[in-house]
Amino acid sequence: MKHLIGLQAYDIRIKEKLAQKEKGPAAMQKRKDDLAAAEALLQEKIDELDSHNSLSRETENEIQDLDERLKKAEAKLSGIKSNKEYKAALKEIENIKREKEALEITVIEMMEQKDELVSACDDNRKKTEEMKKQFDQELKQIMRDMKILDKDLKALEKERERCCKGTDTSLLKKYDMLRGHKNGIAITSVIKGVCQTCHMAIPPQKFNELIRGDKLMNCPNCARIMYWGEDERYQDHEDVT
Ligand SMILES: [Zn+2]
């Protein structure tokens, strides 16, 4: 029984360590996803800025084209003989100028938009770099924690093995089977007639039998192997460090 109590204590510790070990990769995945989202947002802003830049280059080219058309139209003026043609030429010049002014206003607006985009890019870049730095640090920390956990686990497994060696094989089989079925807890202490795992009272007669301690008994409710928790002989075996 003492061996089983020790074994149970080791198994609980091992289960805890394994659960801790699983947390590491999950936390990393979350961080990775966050970082990927930040990087995608940054790329989106960079693409937006790029297309904005090419649009503004196009607009500037259009203004240049209009300038040339204006020059040509103005040069034509001096050669014109008829009044009607002159009027039409003036009208064309007027139209070109109006078109050019509209584009110039657009260029100014685009410059303001560009400033906003550039600062959004900078902000996102800074944020992403900060996240990357944090990510690297956390990764290192998690790796360190994992190493420690592995070391602890190895030590616990060794102790567990030592514990197993001193235990009857058929009892071990029973213990392992119950552990598999009962959420990792195969044995339970009974204090003042109450199972400390399922919290059900066991019949007084059975409790008296348990205190006598001359046979292996299972909790009538949860089926775990019972021991009398107030028995001083078992106290030292309940905690392993
Ligand atoms: Zn029980």
Side-chain angles (χ1 to χ4, degrees):
M1 200 65 221
K2 281 179 190 170
H3 282 129
L4 282 189
I5 295 169
L7 201 56
Q8 177 75 81
Y10 285 123
D11 279 335
I12 289 172
R13 289 284 308 280
I14 288 170
K15 205 180 162 195
E16 282 169 2
K17 297 274 176 198
L18 286 174
Q20 279 174 35
K21 248 186 102 173
E22 268 173 36
K23 275 185 200 155
M28 273 338 285
Q29 193 54 50
K30 168 91 178 66
R31 285 278 170 212
K32 244 185 205 168
D33 292 347
D34 289 348
L35 184 61
E39 278 170 344
L41 188 65
L42 174 61
Q43 193 53 52
E44 208 178 278
K45 292 284 164 203
I46 290 171
D47 291 345
E48 228 176 289
L49 183 60
D50 281 348
S51 62
H52 187 276
N53 280 340
S54 64
L55 192 66
S56 93
R57 267 196 303 276
E58 268 172 42
T59 311
E60 271 158 25
N61 285 342
E62 276 177 56
I63 291 176
Q64 256 177 16
D65 288 347
L66 286 173
D67 263 337
E68 302 213 342
R69 272 175 60 199
L70 196 59
K71 263 185 215 154
K72 275 182 195 157
E74 279 168 345
K76 246 170 54 184
L77 271 183
S78 54
I80 289 172
K81 302 279 180 327
S82 88
N83 209 18
K84 198 180 161 195
E85 266 179 70
Y86 194 78
K87 256 188 185 167
L90 277 183
K91 181 118 187 162
E92 197 201 344
I93 288 170
E94 196 54 41
N95 283 343
I96 294 171
K97 276 184 179 165
R98 209 173 296 140
E99 214 178 315
K100 192 182 149 188
E101 266 166 32
L103 283 180
E104 277 165 349
I105 289 170
T106 305
V107 166
I108 290 169
E109 282 169 357
M110 286 184 90
M111 276 172 170
E112 282 165 13
Q113 284 165 5
K114 185 184 170 167
D115 288 345
E116 281 169 25
L117 280 170
V118 167
S119 85
C121 276
D122 287 346
D123 288 349
N124 277 293
R125 193 171 287 123
K126 252 182 232 154
K127 209 171 131 191
T128 308
E129 272 162 17
E130 197 55 50
M131 278 176 95
K132 233 183 236 164
K133 231 186 263 167
Q134 217 181 333
F135 178 81
D136 288 341
Q137 273 170 2
E138 276 176 37
L139 188 63
K140 271 182 204 148
Q141 185 60 49
I142 285 176
M143 297 299 230
R144 274 198 291 269
D145 291 348
M146 288 285 157
K147 249 186 207 159
I148 292 170
L149 278 171
D150 277 335
K151 219 175 122 197
D152 290 352
L153 268 169
K154 240 181 219 162
L156 282 167
E157 299 277 7
K158 222 174 173 178
E159 287 298 313
R160 183 190 195 276
E161 225 171 273
R162 200 176 50 84
C163 222
C164 282
K165 272 187 190 145
T167 315
D168 177 65
T169 335
S170 69
L171 196 57
L172 261 183
K173 246 186 204 161
K174 214 170 181 176
Y175 169 85
D176 280 330
M177 193 209 46
L178 275 169
R179 196 161 63 93
H181 290 308
K182 297 283 174 187
N183 198 26
I185 308 286
I187 67 166
T188 179
S189 76
V190 176
I191 294 174
K192 294 188 171 62
V194 175
C195 168
Q196 296 300 298
T197 306
C198 73
H199 305 293
M200 294 292 281
I202 62 168
Q205 197 194 333
K206 285 217 170 207
F207 187 48
N208 285 334
E209 269 179 67
L210 185 70
I211 289 172
R212 275 206 304 279
D214 41 14
K215 64 173 179 173
L216 195 70
M217 293 173 72
N218 297 76
C219 170
N221 183 56
C222 68
R224 292 181 175 95
I225 300 166
M226 300 189 287
Y227 67 94
W228 181 34
E230 284 148 303
D231 194 331
E232 279 174 7
R233 289 173 301 164
Y234 298 149
Q235 306 289 305
D236 300 342
H237 296 266
E238 289 177 337
D239 299 302
V240 288
T241 45

